[in-house]
Amino acid sequence: MKIRFFFLLPLLISLVPTAPSLAAGDRFALVIGNAKYPDADAPLKEPINDARAVADELKRDGFSVELGENLTGDAMRRAFDKLYGKIKPGSVALVFFSGFGIQSARQSYLLPVDAQIWTESDVRRDGFSLETVLGELNTRGAGVKIALVDASRRNPFERRFRSFSAGLTPVIAPNGTLVMYSAALASVVSDAGGDRSLFVQELLKEIRVPDLMAEETLNRTKMGVTRASRGEQVPWISSSLAEDFSFIPGAGGSRPATPPPAPAPTPRPQIEAALPPPPPPVKPVDPVPAPSTDGGPSAAALADDPTIKSLTAKIAANPDDVNALYRRGQVYASKGAYSLAIKDFDDTLRINSKDVEALNNRCWTRTVVGDLQAALKDCNEALRLRPNFVDALDSRGLVNLKSGAVKNAIADFDAALKINPRLTSSLYGRGLAKQRNGSAQEGALDIANAKAMDPNIVQEFASYGVR
């Protein structure tokens, strides 16, 4: 699917009679900060502080606010249902979410802290579709629907799909909706490690400026984030508002004193001139010529792929952009360009030798191309850094299976299945290992169960050179 990036500037709204201003009681907000995901290496540092700061600001702006922290799936469902129940015709409904999000089937999903994500179908089962949330708010009669989503983080789930699925996807939202992501479509940013995210810092700064309509507030936020990050992080905005709306009721009314108003936004040509200039066109260069044993496509053959092209430009501008290197490695691996993927994982690990996800991905990729000794070393290091890392157990099981160490393979697949009994690759791999170890009947049962769960598993293993 071709990924397109849309960056919307403020809409020019014709002068038409506006609806009467909404009373404070007609503004409802649900603010969620999810930080403690068991699948992540450590709790995220920003979402809780960000959610509390946004909730406090919205209360000052006349919103009735519900604040949720580290919500499970059941708790998120109850929180959304409570918000839906408050909506009256013409209400303003705002959702702020900070945590992990992921795209699936062209929709963006917000993830609770207890999400069990192993396959892409699990995303749709455990996640909350932003489109569904906005649609329900519209059905309940909300006149203005606003979603502020700070979930464009490199998440711990995407590696499990053996494919590229980073970032969020465009929202097909009903009329009267304003949506903002903290980063561009299909892109991710790292948790900065501070008390607040750059996105929320700029958002709060602009919300406090009086006499701004909401679209202008968010566009100023976008410009602030873009400048502060030197073009590395560019938020995405989509608007279908049909009426004026301001975060500050009365626009300059009875609020406590605020900082001096920021300068009025400049016309579009000057705004664009103020942004950092885009990097010069870069002719992608094949970092490592694909060896004949690889058999996959070369860098030149993939140079026009829109995702690879974008990532290559980022790497050219900053060779130490670890997120871009890791993501391009994933894309290369998903397209069978294994030598190119290994090179990108090499560079990722040069920058951060303790990146267990990159170690696991390089282990798996090296296994596919038959570099089993190096692959085993990678998986062992990943498991040393994160014991019981299920993905590395699964990958090491494949290493042992290909190398003929079937007893070790069975032990690794057993350990992975204790953590996730639905991990089809471990179940199928264990079946093959059991058959090769002389337990034909037990192996056949594992294989049959795996094929029932995923009919494509046989073809997947064949692509790894395992039949």
Side-chain angles (χ1 to χ4, degrees), residues 306-320:
T307 303
I308 291 175
K309 192 173 184 178
S310 173
L311 293 170
T312 299
K314 287 186 176 183
I315 295 165
N318 176 14
D320 289 337

Side-chain angles (χ1 to χ4, degrees), residues 401 406 410 413-414 417 424-452 457-458:
L401 182 62
V406 291
I410 291 170
F413 290 137
D414 277 342
L417 289 164
T424 314
S425 56
S426 283
L427 187 60
Y428 185 80
R430 188 177 68 177
L432 294 178
K434 284 181 176 179
Q435 287 188 331
R436 295 178 186 183
N437 197 45
S439 301
Q441 189 172 353
E442 290 183 16
L445 180 60
D446 276 350
I447 290 171
N449 287 334
K451 289 166 67 176
I457 192 65
V458 178

Side-chain angles (χ1 to χ4, degrees), residues 187-403:
S187 69
V188 295
V189 294
S190 298
D191 221 25
D195 292 335
R196 301 272 176 81
S197 70
L198 174 60
F199 172 68
V200 168
Q201 290 178 43
E202 294 295 325
L203 175 66
L204 294 178
K205 184 191 305 181
E206 300 302 337
I207 281 181
R208 292 163 185 162
V209 177
D211 302 319
L212 293 182
M213 294 299 101
E215 287 177 335
E216 191 174 4
T217 296
L218 297 192
N219 274 289
R220 288 166 64 105
T221 300
K222 171 185 168 181
M223 296 302 174
V225 172
T226 303
R227 291 191 182 100
S229 67
R230 298 184 179 181
E232 288 296 312
Q233 181 177 348
V234 182
W236 178 84
I237 303 171
S238 175
S239 177
S240 62
L241 291 184
E243 60 183 84
D244 287 346
F245 171 76
S246 175
F247 287 102
I248 301 177
S254 59
R255 279 198 61 172
T258 59
T266 54
R268 176 173 178 168
Q270 296 180 21
I271 288 177
E272 293 182 337
L275 291 175
V282 177
K283 181 180 179 180
V285 177
D286 192 342
V288 175
S292 58
T293 55
D294 184 327
S298 68
L302 297 173
D304 290 332
D305 178 278
T307 303
I308 291 175
K309 192 173 184 178
S310 173
L311 293 170
T312 299
K314 287 186 176 183
I315 295 165
N318 176 14
D320 289 337
D321 187 335
V322 66
N323 283 325
L325 286 164
Y326 174 84
R327 287 161 53 206
R328 192 176 68 176
Q330 285 189 304
V331 182
Y332 279 145
S334 71
K335 295 181 179 297
Y338 299 119
S339 62
L340 299 176
I342 291 171
K343 176 61 169 60
D344 279 347
F345 295 140
D346 285 344
D347 287 339
T348 302
L349 291 162
R350 170 182 54 80
I351 299 167
N352 178 13
S353 62
K354 296 183 178 180
D355 189 328
V356 294
E357 296 167 14
L359 282 166
N360 173 62
N361 275 281
R362 192 172 68 176
C363 170
W364 173 77
T365 308
R366 282 174 162 172
T367 304
V368 174
V369 300
D371 189 0
L372 301 180
Q373 186 174 356
L376 184 61
K377 183 178 179 181
D378 280 343
C379 277
N380 285 340
E381 178 64 7
L383 288 164
R384 184 188 71 81
L385 293 168
R386 189 193 293 176
N388 297 321
F389 180 17
V390 68
D391 299 315
L393 287 168
D394 180 60
S395 296
R396 193 172 69 178
L398 181 61
V399 177
N400 286 320
L401 182 62
K402 288 195 72 171
S403 65

Side-chain angles (χ1 to χ4, degrees), residues 31 66 74 91 93 108 112 144 166 178 200 210 228 232 276 295 373 379 408 424:
V31 177
E66 291 288 335
D74 286 342
S91 296
S108 293
V144 174
L178 184 58
V200 168
E232 288 296 312
Q373 186 174 356
C379 277
N408 290 340
T424 314

Side-chain angles (χ1 to χ4, degrees), residues 13-233:
I13 301 177
S14 58
L15 295 176
V16 296
T18 58
S21 59
L22 294 163
D26 291 320
R27 296 173 167 226
F28 304 103
L30 172 60
V31 177
I32 299 173
N34 282 351
K36 294 183 179 179
Y37 290 85
D39 285 295
D41 288 334
L44 298 170
K45 294 182 179 180
E46 298 166 353
I48 300 300
N49 288 335
D50 285 346
R52 292 174 181 176
V54 170
D56 288 343
E57 178 61 33
L58 292 175
K59 288 175 184 176
R60 287 192 288 270
D61 294 333
F63 281 83
S64 172
V65 179
E66 291 288 335
L67 173 63
E69 298 178 1
N70 294 318
L71 298 186
T72 63
D74 286 342
M76 279 185 68
R77 188 169 292 103
R78 289 194 297 270
F80 281 120
D81 285 344
K82 187 173 183 179
L83 175 64
Y84 300 150
K86 294 178 180 179
I87 302 303
K88 297 175 288 186
S91 296
V92 174
L94 184 149
V95 174
F96 172 88
F97 177 85
S98 180
F100 284 133
I102 197 167
Q103 60 170 283
S104 175
R106 300 185 183 183
Q107 292 193 41
S108 293
Y109 288 82
L110 315 179
L111 300 183
V113 295
D114 63 345
Q116 296 292 311
I117 308 296
W118 299 99
T119 65
E120 196 162 1
S121 61
D122 295 338
V123 177
R124 298 185 288 276
R125 182 198 66 205
D126 288 356
F128 290 82
S129 163
L130 183 58
E131 289 187 359
T132 299
V133 170
L134 293 171
E136 183 65 26
L137 293 172
N138 188 63
T139 299
R140 299 291 180 117
V144 174
K145 299 159 284 290
I146 299 173
L148 306 173
V149 182
D150 193 1
S152 301
R153 295 177 171 91
R154 175 175 159 185
N155 66 71
F157 308 109
E158 67 182 37
R159 63 181 181 269
R160 296 171 178 170
F161 305 150
R162 310 289 196 197
S163 63
F164 180 76
S165 56
L168 302 177
T169 192
V171 176
I172 301 175
N175 289 334
T177 302
L178 184 58
V179 179
M180 186 174 198
Y181 293 159
S182 60
L185 299 173
S187 69
V188 295
V189 294
S190 298
D191 221 25
D195 292 335
R196 301 272 176 81
S197 70
L198 174 60
F199 172 68
V200 168
Q201 290 178 43
E202 294 295 325
L203 175 66
L204 294 178
K205 184 191 305 181
E206 300 302 337
I207 281 181
R208 292 163 185 162
V209 177
D211 302 319
L212 293 182
M213 294 299 101
E215 287 177 335
E216 191 174 4
T217 296
L218 297 192
N219 274 289
R220 288 166 64 105
T221 300
K222 171 185 168 181
M223 296 302 174
V225 172
T226 303
R227 291 191 182 100
S229 67
R230 298 184 179 181
E232 288 296 312
Q233 181 177 348

